[in-house]
């Protein structure tokens, strides 16, 4: 399956990590499909970050404003990309520690099942076990 | 406001950091809007960098030649992107250490003011104070 | 010279480095022009990687399936980019340690010669010398 | 002022970012002075992380067990370091948006004031303004 | 259980990634317990790497010579650290795809089992399945 | 040959890249043997840097004060390490573009010659050639 997504990117060398971590949360809360930082090396020996935000076209305007409001960025790159995605179907996996919510993904002849992190974490916290053990159980 | 920019990118695993730092300066001096490196992991356990250069269409040919001349790159990716930018108006900020050149940026209902780094640095050097203190003053 | 290439990219935060290193080899073996990882910072304080794969259009489908099969990715970004490449002509360089296979690259008035890594490595191993010395010889 | 701290470090290439983000929170909650990841390049083209944890000697045993329990690590490096710290005195800064909790730090003739992030965030959220504006106000 | 290990580290900004990848293999082949690169930002806008090598005291001299011979490094930092390690006992895990060699690790009340990567890879290749599926089976 | 050096390190998540680049120059100008940043992942999804400074014991006090004055750091780790260094003897290399200042380094049976970057750069600028070509000439 394919759809279209918007990718916004901007390089930031005049904003602290504290403010950037805060902005990341705001972007995710506002509905970005994903948002992340990449460490980059800029002129004048400046350590910096590229901020990337992936979103649907209808979210774009709101997310641009969050970036301009909360960071020091004054411009950003924008592109429209294709996205290839696996089909998703909710399921439940019976681990030896109990049931965990999961998704079954398929793309042509490829199939795989992924536990939902939030539900695996819930179980790990409840039973005081390692999350790693649940993924392997 | 939006315009169009060119993004050139190439992965480099056979060139030293010394040469790359030199090339970055040449690219900026030749008029690139921005140029930066990202650390990447390549095949055969090779630590490497992606070099990215953002420029106006009329600078493109000269910058491609600087990259081919000064680095080991023998090919590069090229894309044309949209750029969303805030409107800019020069201003001056009265800090408690003295006036500093700045820019007032606006995009719809969002406004912000940024000190010009070079002028903040001049003041920090003159008064022997921390540049951080000027940004907060 | 320019041609068209496909760039596939996906962010991965739920797969180990061991599995990613294995996948990189599979992608290169399957004919990707290049494949690499970039360290990225994702939500919930998760260290992660972006996997990037550059390929010809006719390789695309096979490489998408390798990524979906071997990693935890369930979606990926896809774009079609221009690629600017130098002309290549095979040659041999006479180093003071012996002949090494190389390529002569040219783009307009720029020319350069690059030793083939695999042949330089062969010579370094044979003579028990530093590969760095061969590059400089 | 100086004191002694313990630094624990381990390289992890067989654990996902999701699990590592979870472990980071557990380490901070358990009283680590700080905990962080660095991206590293390991053998066999494996992208990986070094996990670093800084703690007081009396926390060390508990934190070692959290790392062994929640990650794939089976060994770690340990060193005892000196730490040089500025003297700290709680204060309040009157920003133009209202009072913000802060700390005044001093070391010989150097003095500086830092806003407390959590209190600046509270104010930013209350007034729906940029956290960056508070730091500069 | 604890023992003593040597950590050698050096910053490299005048050597290519190709040469560094080659050196990493030489260090591992010569018996280093581990060797890795970290991306670092040096003066003059130079992207660079720190090379780290962890070894037993009796390997130290040979590894120092490999670094000096194969890279551009002309000095390195050296420290002696404690290492905390889990007890290890070889075992076999019956996955649903067949038996895989593994190790059982223990440290006080913490126990865990890890598949041996090389054996999991063998099975993945034999059955043409994802290595990820074996880890979860 | 071995000597003793001091390594100072601190994690910074509340300072911009601009300020950090400025601080790096101040540290090098004040006589640090080397100074560099490493990208790190801190709690609360904060992208950050570790600043590392390597210096002789007699420089330590001045460099600590530069870090406290110019960055947001309020504490730092400190260790005393051994340093293994190759013997150095100034020399001149006759490249095909002209003579370049260099150093001859030796450690037991290992010898190598490195061009001085600043002199290679001078020649590259004078002759308008690639610095890479000089290193190989």
């Amino acid at each position: 399956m394919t759809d279209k997504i918007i990718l916004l990117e901007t390089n930031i060398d005049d904003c602290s990590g504290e403010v950037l971590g805060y902005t990341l949360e705001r972007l995710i809360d506002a509905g970005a499909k994903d948002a992340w930082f990449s460490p980059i090396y800029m002129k004048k020996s400046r350590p910096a970050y590229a901020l990337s935000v992936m979103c649907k076209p209808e979210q774009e305007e709101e997310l641009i404003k969050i970036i301009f409001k909360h960071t020091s960025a004054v411009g950003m790159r924008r592109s429209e990309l294709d996205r290839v995605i696996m089909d998703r179907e909710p399921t439940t996996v019976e681990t030896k520690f109990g049931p965990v919510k999961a998704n079954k993904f398929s793309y042509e002849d490829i199939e795989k099942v992924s536990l939902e992190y939030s539900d695996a974490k819930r179980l790990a916290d409840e039973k005081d076990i390692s999350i790693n053990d649940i993924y392997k159980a």
Side-chain angles (χ1 to χ4, degrees), chain A:
Chain A
M1 204 173 85
T2 64
D3 61 7
K4 293 278 177 191
I5 47 135
I6 302 296
L7 184 65
L8 303 171
E9 296 201 298
T10 183
N11 298 348
I12 302 182
D13 69 356
D14 49 356
C15 206
S16 76
E18 260 181 7
V19 169
L20 294 176
Y22 175 85
T23 304
L24 190 72
E25 282 171 28
R26 297 292 292 249
L27 290 165
I28 298 289
D29 289 350
K33 301 298 284 179
D34 204 354
W36 65 97
F37 298 103
S38 307
I40 59 172
Y41 299 72
M42 289 178 69
K43 63 183 176 182
K44 297 184 188 169
S45 301
R46 288 179 191 163
Y49 303 102
L51 165 60
S52 302
V53 182
M54 193 170 84
C55 65
K56 294 190 181 167
E58 60 268 28
Q59 300 168 302
E60 181 181 356
E61 193 55 31
E62 185 185 352
L63 299 176
I64 287 174
K65 290 172 75 168
I66 288 175
I67 295 171
F68 281 154
K69 179 170 178 182
H70 289 287
T71 76
S72 55
V74 297
M76 69 188 72
R77 300 182 291 282
R78 176 199 180 279
S79 48
E80 194 179 311
L81 304 177
D82 299 319
R83 196 169 57 141
V84 182
I85 43 184
M86 298 184 84
D87 290 317
R88 173 195 305 240
E89 197 186 329
T91 185
T92 299
V93 169
E94 291 297 330
T95 74
K96 68 181 169 211
F97 302 107
V100 177
K101 284 184 198 158
N103 288 289
K104 188 173 167 181
F105 293 94
S106 58
Y107 179 86
E108 301 189 12
D109 60 321
I110 296 166
E111 296 205 340
K112 63 188 175 190
V113 173
S114 291
L115 302 190
E116 280 190 10
Y117 172 78
S118 56
D119 206 46
K121 181 178 185 302
R122 174 199 52 77
L123 189 63
D125 288 346
E126 266 174 38
K127 308 244 165 175
D128 189 27
I129 51 177
S130 157
I131 230 180
N132 240 356
D133 286 343
I134 293 175
Y135 275 98
K136 288 190 246 164

